[in-house]
C-alpha cells in the first residue's frame, strides 16, 4: 500500500514537470469529424426524440434550436476542462499525500509493536485464568467444609443443649417453690426427658450414661413435689364455704402444665391425682347439692294431694286435712295462672335459699325444680370445661358427677312418688326441654343423658296423675256431685281450668300424645256433664245447666288459646245446639199454641178443599191471645234468661235468638191469617211486625 502511494507520488512529480506539454497533448486528442458519420442510419430517431421530449435538458436544446452535434462538442470540451483542473489540484496536494504516506507507515510500525505486546498479555491472562479456576475450586471446597462444620456444630450444640443439665435447673427443681418459674423449668426438663427417650442417636451416645441418672432423679423429685403441691390445692376444695369455681379458675388453671407433666412423665402419680380430684369434687359437689336441696325443701309450697282430682267431691273435706297448704292456693291445683312465669324466667339465676326464706315466701315445686337444675347446669358446665382444660379429659366429668346425680335422683324419686300435681309435672317437663335447648346452645353435652333420664321419669308420672283425673270423672258418683243449681258446676270449672292449663303449656310444643289424652278427658267430662244434667227434673233446667257449663268452659279455653282448638270448637258446637233447644223450650213455654199451630197448620193452603181447612174461628184465639200478652211474655222471658244464665252476655245473646225466632213464628202466623177467607176481620187484633221489632231492639240495646 505504501509502495503504491509512493509510485503515485513520483508520477505526480513527473507530471508537474511536464505541465505545458499536457495541454498540447490534450489538444491533439480533439475529436475530428467522422467522415463516415453520414453513413449512420437515422431510422427510429423520431421515436427516440419523441421519447426524450420529457427530458428537461433535451427540451431546452430543442427549444434553442441548437444542433445536437454542436451541443455534444461543447459538453466534451467542458469535461476536458474539468479533468485538467482535477489533475492540477492533485499535483498541488502531492506533498500532503507524501506526508500522509509517512504517517501511515509509522502507524503500521506502532501497531506491529502493540500486536506483539498484546500477544504477551494474552498469554499472561490465560495463565491467570488457570490460577483463578484453581482458586475457585479451592474456595468451593473450603465453603463445603465450612458448611459441614457449621451443620455439625449446630447439631452438636443442640445435642449439648438438650442433654446437659444446668445447675440452675437442678436448684429450681429440688429447692424451688412451685410457681411460674418452676413451671418453665418443668417444661425444659420435660423436653430433655423426651429427648433422651425418643432420639435413637442419643441412646448410642456415651454422654447419656452420665446424664440419664441425673435426669431420672430430677424427674422423680419433680413428680413428688408437684404431687404434694396439687394435693394441697385439692384439700383447699374441701374446706367449708370455699368457692370451688373461683379456686379452679383463679388458682388451679395457672398450674395446668403440672398435670400435663405428670401425665407424660409420672403416669401413676397422675392417676392418683386424678382419682383424688374426682373423689374430692364428687363429695364436695354432692354435699353442696344435698344442702341446697334441703334448703329448697323449706321453701316448697304443696299444691295437690292424691284427693285433689277433677271428679272428686272435696266440699266436705276438713280444712285440717290440708296440712300446711293455705286455702287460697287450692285454685292452683287445676289453673295454671302465674305458674307459667317459671318458663318465662327459665334462664334466671337460681334461688338463694336463705334470702328467699327470710322473705317468708313459698314456691310451687316447679320453681324449686327449675332453680335446682339451673344450679346443676351452671355447675356442670363449669366443671366440664375445667376438666377439659385442666386434665384434658372430658370423660372424668361423669365420674365426678356420679355423686351429685345420685343425690338429685334420690330427691326426685322421693318428690315424684308423692306428686299429684299434673300442672306442676307438665311444667317440669317443659323446664327440662328448655334446659336441653340452653345446653345445646352452649354446646356442652355433659347433661344430655341426665336430662333425658329426668324427662323419661316425668312423663310416666304425669300420665299416671292424668289418668287419676280421667278415672275420677269416669268413676264419679253422679248423685254425690249433683247440686240443684243450674250455674256452672265446680267439676266442670276444674276441668276447664285443667284443660286450658295443659293446652296453654302445649301451644309451642304440639305434643300429640298430650292432645290425645286431653281428648280422652273431654269425652269423660261430656259423659259426666250429661249425667248431671239429667238429674234435673225439668228439661229446660237441664238445657240451661248444659249451656252455662259449656259457655264457662269456652271462656276459660279462650284465655289459654285465643285461636281456638278442637276442644274449644267441640264445646262451641254443643253450646250452639243447646242454645237452639233452649230457644224452642222457652218459646213453647210462653207461646205454645202459636208455635204448635205454625208448625202443624201454617204451611197448609187455606183455600184448598181439605178435610180440615183453616178457619177464622181456629186462628182467632191464637191471634187474640198473642195480642193480649206478648209484651208481658217477652218480659217474663227476659227475666227468666237473666236469672238462668250466669254469663250476662251469653244470656242476652240467647234472648235475642229467642225473640228473633218468635218474630219468625209470628210472621208465618200473620201470613197465614191473610190467606184465610174472612181473615181481614182479625187485622185489628194482629200485632204489627214493626212493634215486635221495636221490642226486640229495646232488649238488644240492653245487650
Amino acid at each position: 500500500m505504501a509502495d503504491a502511494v509512493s509510485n503515485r507520488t513520483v508520477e505526480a512529480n513527473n507530471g508537474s514537470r511536464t505541465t505545458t506539454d499536457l495541454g498540447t497533448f490534450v489538444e491533439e486528442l480533439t475529436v475530428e469529424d467522422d467522415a463516415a458519420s453520414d453513413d449512420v442510419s437515422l431510422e427510429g430517431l423520431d421515436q427516440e426524440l419523441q421519447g426524450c421530449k420529457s427530458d428537461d435538458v433535451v427540451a431546452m436544446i430543442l427549444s434553442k434550436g441548437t444542433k445536437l452535434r454542436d451541443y455534444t462538442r461543447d459538453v466534451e470540451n467542458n469535461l476536458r476542462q474539468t479533468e485538467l483542473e482535477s489533475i492540477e489540484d492533485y499535483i498541488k496536494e502531492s506533498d500532503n499525500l507524501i506526508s500522509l504516506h509517512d504517517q501511515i507507515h509509522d502507524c503500521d510500525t506502532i501497531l506491529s509493536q502493540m500486536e506483539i505486546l498484546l500477544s504477551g498479555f494474552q498469554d499472561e491472562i490465560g495463565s491467570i485464568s488457570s490460577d483463578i479456576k484453581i482458586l475457585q475450586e479451592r474456595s468451593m471446597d473450603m465453603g463445603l467444609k465450612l458448611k459441614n462444620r457449621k451443620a455439625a456444630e449446630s447439631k452438636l450444640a443442640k445435642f449439648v443443649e438438650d442433654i446437659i443439665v444446668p445447675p440452675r435447673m437442678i436448684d429450681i427443681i429440688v429447692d424451688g417453690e412451685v410457681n411460674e418459674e418452676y413451671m418453665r423449668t418443668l417444661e425444659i426438663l420435660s423436653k430433655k426427658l423426651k429427648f433422651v427417650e425418643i432420639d435413637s442417636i442419643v441412646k448410642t451416645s456415651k454422654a447419656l450414661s452420665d446424664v440419664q441418672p441425673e435426669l431420672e432423679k430430677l424427674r422423680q423429685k419433680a413428680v413428688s413435689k408437684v404431687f404434694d403441691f396439687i394435693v394441697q390445692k385439692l384439700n383447699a376444695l374441701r374446706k367449708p364455704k370455699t368457692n370451688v369455681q373461683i379456686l379452679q379458675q383463679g388458682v388451679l388453671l395457672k398450674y395446668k402444665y403440672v398435670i400435663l407433666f405428670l401425665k407424660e412423665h409420672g403416669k401413676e402419680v397422675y392417676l392418683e391425682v386424678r382419682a383424688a380430684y374426682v373423689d374430692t369434687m364428687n363429695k364436695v359437689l354432692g354435699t353442696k347439692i344435698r344442702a341446697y336441696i334441703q334448703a329448697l325443701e323449706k321453701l316448697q309450697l304443696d299444691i295437690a294431694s292424691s284427693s285433689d282430682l277433677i271428679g272428686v267431691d272435696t266440699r266436705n273435706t276438713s280444712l285440717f286435712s290440708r296440712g300446711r297448704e293455705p286455702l287460697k292456693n287450692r285454685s292452683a291445683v287445676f289453673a295454671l295462672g302465674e305458674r307459667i312465669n317459671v318458663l318465662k324466667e327459665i334462664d334466671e339465676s337460681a334461688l338463694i335459699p336463705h334470702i328467699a326464706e327470710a322473705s317468708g315466701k313459698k314456691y310451687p315445686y316447679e320453681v324449686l325444680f327449675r332453680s335446682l337444675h339451673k344450679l346443676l347446669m351452671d355447675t356442670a358446665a363449669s366443671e366440664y370445661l375445667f376438666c377439659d382444660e385442666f386434665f384434658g379429659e372430658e370423660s372424668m366429668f361423669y365420674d365426678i358427677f356420679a355423686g351429685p346425680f345420685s343425690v338429685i335422683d334420690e330427691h326426685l324419686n322421693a318428690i315424684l312418688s308423692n306428686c299429684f300435681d299434673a300442672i306442676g309435672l307438665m311444667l317440669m317437663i317443659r323446664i327440662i326441654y328448655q334446659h336441653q335447648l340452653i345446653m345445646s346452645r352452649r354446646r356442652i353435652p355433659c347433661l344430655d343423658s341426665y336430662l333425658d333420664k329426668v324427662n323419661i321419669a316425668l312423663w310416666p308420672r304425669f300420665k299416671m296423675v292424668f289418668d287419676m283425673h280421667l278415672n275420677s270423672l269416669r268413676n264419679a258418683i253422679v248423685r254425690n256431685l249433683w247440686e240443684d243449681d243450674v250455674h256452672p258446676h265446680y267439676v266442670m270449672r276444674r276441668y276447664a281450668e285443667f284443660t286450658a292449663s295443659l293446652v296453654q303449656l302445649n301451644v309451642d310444643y304440639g305434643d300429640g300424645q298430650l292432645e290425645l289424652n286431653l281428648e280422652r278427658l273431654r269425652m269423660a267430662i261430656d259423659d259426666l256433664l250429661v249425667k248431671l244434667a239429667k238429674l234435673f227434673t225439668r228439661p229446660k233446667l237441664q238445657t240451661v245447666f248444659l249451656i252455662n257449663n259449656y259457655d264457662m268452659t269456652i271462656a276459660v279455653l279462650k284465655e289459654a288459646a285465643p285461636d281456638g282448638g278442637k276442644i274449644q270448637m267441640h264445646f262451641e258446637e254443643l253450646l250452639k245446639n243447646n242454645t237452639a233447644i233452649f230457644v224452642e223450650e222457652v218459646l213453647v213455654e210462653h207461646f205454645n199454641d202459636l208455635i204448635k199451630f205454625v208448625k202443624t197448620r201454617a204451611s197448609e193452603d187455606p183455600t184448598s178443599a181439605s178435610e180440615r181447612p183453616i178457619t177464622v174461628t181456629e186462628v182467632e184465639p191464637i191471634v187474640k191471645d198473642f195480642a193480649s200478652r206478648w209484651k208481658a211474655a217477652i218480659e217474663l222471658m227476659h227475666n227468666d234468661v237473666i236469672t238462668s244464665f250466669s254469663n250476662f252476655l251469653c244470656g242476652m245473646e240467647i234472648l235475642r235468638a229467642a225473640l228473633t225466632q218468635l218474630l219468625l213464628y209470628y210472621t208465618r202466623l200473620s201470613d197465614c191469617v191473610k190467606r184465610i177467607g174472612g181473615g181481614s176481620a182479625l187485622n185489628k187484633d194482629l200485632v204489627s211486625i214493626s212493634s215486635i221489632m221495636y221490642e226486640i231492639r229495646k232488649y238488644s240495646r240492653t245487650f
Side-chain angles (χ1 to χ4, degrees):
M1 175 181 177
D3 294 339
V5 175
S6 177
N7 292 335
R8 292 191 192 102
T9 305
V10 173
E11 290 175 359
N13 292 334
N14 294 333
S16 63
R17 288 192 295 268
T18 58
T19 302
T20 55
D21 295 336
L22 181 61
T24 303
F25 175 75
V26 173
E27 288 294 332
E28 292 177 355
L29 295 176
T30 301
V31 179
E32 296 182 354
D33 294 339
D34 189 357
S37 61
D38 293 335
D39 296 332
V40 177
S41 176
L42 299 178
E43 184 179 357
L45 180 61
D46 291 336
Q47 289 82 355
E48 292 182 5
L49 291 175
Q50 289 297 327
C52 293
K53 280 184 179 181
S54 60
D55 188 276
D56 294 338
V57 177
V58 175
M60 182 185 67
I61 295 171
L62 293 177
S63 65
K64 291 182 179 181
T66 306
K67 292 182 178 180
L68 186 58
R69 186 178 298 278
D70 294 339
Y71 187 78
T72 300
R73 186 180 296 113
D74 291 339
V75 171
E76 289 177 350
N77 292 332
N78 289 336
L79 287 173
R80 187 178 296 112
Q81 184 63 35
T82 301
E83 182 181 1
L84 291 174
E85 291 175 356
S86 297
I87 292 171
E88 288 179 359
D89 289 339
Y90 182 77
I91 293 171
K92 289 179 182 179
E93 294 296 328
S94 60
D95 293 337
N96 293 333
L97 291 173
I98 293 170
S99 175
L100 178 61
H101 175 268
D102 294 338
Q103 291 176 1
I104 291 172
H105 183 270
D106 294 338
C107 286
D108 286 342
T109 304
I110 294 171
L111 290 173
S112 298
Q113 294 174 354
M114 289 184 65
E115 182 179 4
I116 296 170
L117 182 61
L118 291 175
S119 296
F121 285 163
Q122 185 176 5
D123 295 339
E124 292 179 2
I125 289 173
S127 176
I128 292 172
S129 176
S130 300
D131 294 341
I132 290 174
K133 187 174 182 181
I134 294 171
L135 291 174
Q136 186 177 9
E137 292 176 353
R138 291 180 179 177
S139 176
M140 292 177 63
D141 184 54
M142 292 174 65
L144 181 60
K145 291 179 179 180
L146 178 61
K147 183 178 180 181
N148 292 337
R149 288 178 181 178
K150 285 184 177 180
E153 181 185 3
S154 175
K155 290 184 178 181
L156 183 60
K158 188 175 185 308
F159 174 81
V160 172
E161 181 182 356
D162 290 339
I163 203 170
I164 194 172
V165 181
R168 175 62 178 166
M169 186 178 78
I170 297 174
D171 293 340
I172 294 174
I173 295 294
V174 175
D175 300 323
E177 295 181 358
V178 180
N179 51 28
E180 292 184 3
E181 184 182 15
Y182 197 91
M183 306 275 284
R184 290 193 296 270
T185 307
L186 278 183
E187 292 184 30
I188 297 172
L189 177 60
S190 176
K191 291 179 181 178
K192 294 183 181 297
L193 291 171
K194 291 178 181 178
F195 179 70
V196 300
E197 291 173 359
I198 298 174
D199 199 320
S200 58
I201 299 177
V202 177
K203 293 181 179 180
T204 61
S205 172
K206 293 182 179 181
L208 180 61
S209 59
D210 295 332
V211 175
Q212 192 169 20
E214 300 301 324
L215 288 175
E216 179 61 22
K217 291 177 183 178
L218 288 177
R219 183 194 69 79
Q220 293 177 359
K221 181 62 179 178
V223 167
S224 174
K225 195 163 191 174
V226 296
F227 173 75
D228 295 338
F229 175 80
I230 291 296
V231 169
Q232 179 186 359
K233 297 300 180 184
L234 295 183
N235 290 334
L237 293 172
R238 295 176 180 265
K239 294 180 180 179
K241 299 182 180 181
T242 298
N243 191 315
V244 174
Q245 293 182 9
I246 291 179
L247 186 60
Q248 289 175 337
Q249 301 296 325
V251 179
L252 292 178
L253 281 181
K254 293 181 180 179
Y255 302 99
K256 64 181 180 179
Y257 183 76
V258 168
I259 299 299
L260 179 60
F261 181 84
L262 290 177
K263 188 183 291 187
E264 293 177 345
H265 305 291
K267 191 67 175 180
E268 294 181 358
V269 176
Y270 166 75
L271 293 176
E272 291 183 25
V273 171
R274 183 185 185 279
Y277 179 80
V278 169
D279 181 66
T280 298
M281 291 305 298
N282 190 311
K283 293 178 180 178
V284 168
L285 294 179
T287 302
K288 288 182 178 294
I289 289 179
R290 187 182 299 276
Y292 187 73
I293 289 173
Q294 291 173 352
L296 289 180
E297 288 175 347
K298 298 177 182 179
L299 305 175
Q300 183 174 345
L301 173 65
D302 292 332
I303 298 295
S305 64
S306 59
S307 61
D308 290 318
L309 302 173
I310 297 175
V312 173
D313 182 13
T314 57
R315 290 172 296 176
N316 297 324
T317 304
S318 173
L319 289 177
F320 296 102
S321 64
R322 301 292 188 196
R324 58 184 177 179
E325 181 185 348
L327 187 61
K328 65 179 181 180
N329 293 317
R330 300 305 301 164
S331 61
V333 176
F334 307 105
L336 183 60
E338 294 182 355
R339 297 175 72 181
I340 189 68
N341 292 337
V342 71
L343 295 178
K344 299 176 183 178
E345 302 166 355
I346 193 68
D347 210 17
E348 294 292 325
S349 301
L351 288 174
I352 301 176
H354 66 273
I355 295 178
E357 188 176 0
S359 66
K361 191 175 181 180
K362 301 288 185 179
Y363 301 91
Y365 181 72
E366 66 270 9
V367 176
L368 309 182
F369 180 84
R370 183 209 70 84
S371 185
L372 172 61
H373 283 81
K374 170 63 175 174
L375 177 66
L376 175 64
M377 283 196 306
D378 293 343
T379 305
S382 175
E383 189 63 31
Y384 180 82
L385 295 175
F386 175 78
C387 289
D388 182 37
E389 186 174 359
F390 191 67
F391 289 95
E393 292 187 42
E394 298 174 354
S395 59
M396 65 184 297
F397 166 85
Y398 301 100
D399 297 331
I400 294 171
F401 266 75
F405 285 157
S406 176
V407 172
I408 297 175
D409 288 343
E410 179 184 349
H411 165 70
L412 287 180
N413 290 335
I415 291 293
L416 293 182
S417 63
N418 294 306
C419 180
F420 299 94
D421 180 11
I423 304 299
L425 288 167
M426 182 52 62
L427 282 169
M428 286 187 272
I429 290 172
R430 299 310 182 210
I431 288 170
I432 288 295
Y433 177 79
Q434 293 296 327
H435 283 171
Q436 287 175 322
L437 293 181
I438 292 172
M439 294 301 287
S440 176
R441 287 194 294 268
R442 293 181 182 181
R443 297 183 179 180
I444 298 178
C446 59
L447 290 181
D448 289 355
S449 58
Y450 167 78
L451 294 176
D452 287 340
K453 183 177 71 174
V454 174
N455 196 42
I456 291 172
L458 288 172
W459 270 109
R461 184 66 190 182
F462 170 79
K463 182 65 167 55
M464 190 201 78
V465 176
F466 187 91
D467 287 345
M468 290 175 64
H469 285 286
L470 179 62
N471 292 329
S472 71
L473 295 177
R474 290 176 174 175
N475 303 326
I477 301 175
V478 180
R479 179 61 62 180
N480 292 343
L481 295 178
W482 184 76
E483 296 176 335
D484 190 10
D485 186 357
V486 295
H487 290 86
H489 197 277
Y490 66 89
V491 171
M492 193 64 180
R493 180 171 293 280
R494 290 176 184 174
Y495 163 79
E497 292 175 347
F498 183 76
T499 300
S501 299
L502 295 181
V503 168
Q504 187 173 353
L505 290 176
N506 200 38
V507 169
D508 297 326
Y509 302 90
D511 194 315
Q513 187 64 34
L514 180 59
E515 292 176 355
L516 181 61
N517 286 325
L518 289 175
E519 184 64 19
R520 294 166 58 213
L521 192 68
R522 195 268 307 160
M523 295 170 64
I525 196 66
D526 277 350
D527 184 59
L528 178 62
L529 195 64
V530 171
K531 291 178 180 178
L532 288 171
K534 288 181 179 179
L535 293 179
F536 290 94
T537 55
R538 295 171 53 196
K540 177 185 172 184
L541 293 179
Q542 296 176 8
T543 306
V544 171
F545 175 76
L546 292 175
I547 289 175
N548 279 329
N549 281 279
Y550 293 149
D551 177 68
M552 178 273 299
T553 303
I554 292 169
V556 174
L557 290 175
K558 281 183 176 180
E559 293 180 2
D563 57 342
K566 290 193 298 184
I567 297 178
Q568 181 179 323
M569 292 172 61
H570 169 77
F571 285 111
E572 287 174 348
E573 186 65 24
L574 291 177
L575 176 63
K576 179 181 177 181
N577 295 338
N578 282 273
T579 297
I581 294 173
F582 176 80
V583 167
E584 290 297 320
E585 289 176 344
V586 75
L587 290 177
V588 167
E589 181 180 347
H590 295 283
F591 302 101
N592 183 43
D593 294 338
L594 168 64
I595 293 172
K596 183 177 180 181
F597 174 82
V598 169
K599 287 184 176 181
T600 58
R601 305 277 286 163
S603 59
E604 299 178 6
D605 186 358
T607 61
S608 64
S610 60
E611 295 182 359
R612 287 186 57 209
I614 301 175
T615 62
V616 173
T617 305
E618 183 180 359
V619 175
E620 183 177 7
I622 298 174
V623 173
K624 289 184 177 181
D625 178 68
F626 183 85
S628 64
R629 63 183 187 86
W630 69 278
K631 287 186 178 181
I634 290 177
E635 181 64 26
L636 289 174
M637 290 170 58
H638 174 262
N639 294 335
D640 191 9
V641 167
I642 291 296
T643 56
S644 297
F645 298 105
S646 53
N647 184 349
F648 177 77
L649 296 179
C650 177
M652 289 299 98
E653 190 68 32
I654 292 173
L655 177 62
R656 186 168 65 176
L659 295 178
T660 302
Q661 187 64 31
L662 175 63
L663 178 63
L664 292 175
Y665 282 139
Y666 192 75
T667 301
R668 291 179 64 188
L669 175 66
S670 300
D671 292 341
C672 181
V673 170
K674 292 176 183 178
R675 295 197 307 269
I676 299 174
S680 58
L682 299 176
N683 287 343
K684 65 181 184 301
D685 296 319
L686 286 173
V687 179
S688 65
I689 300 299
S690 60
S691 298
I692 299 176
M693 288 293 295
Y694 174 78
E695 289 296 320
I696 292 176
R697 284 195 294 270
K698 182 174 71 173
Y699 287 104
S700 296
R701 285 195 295 270
T702 303
F703 169 73

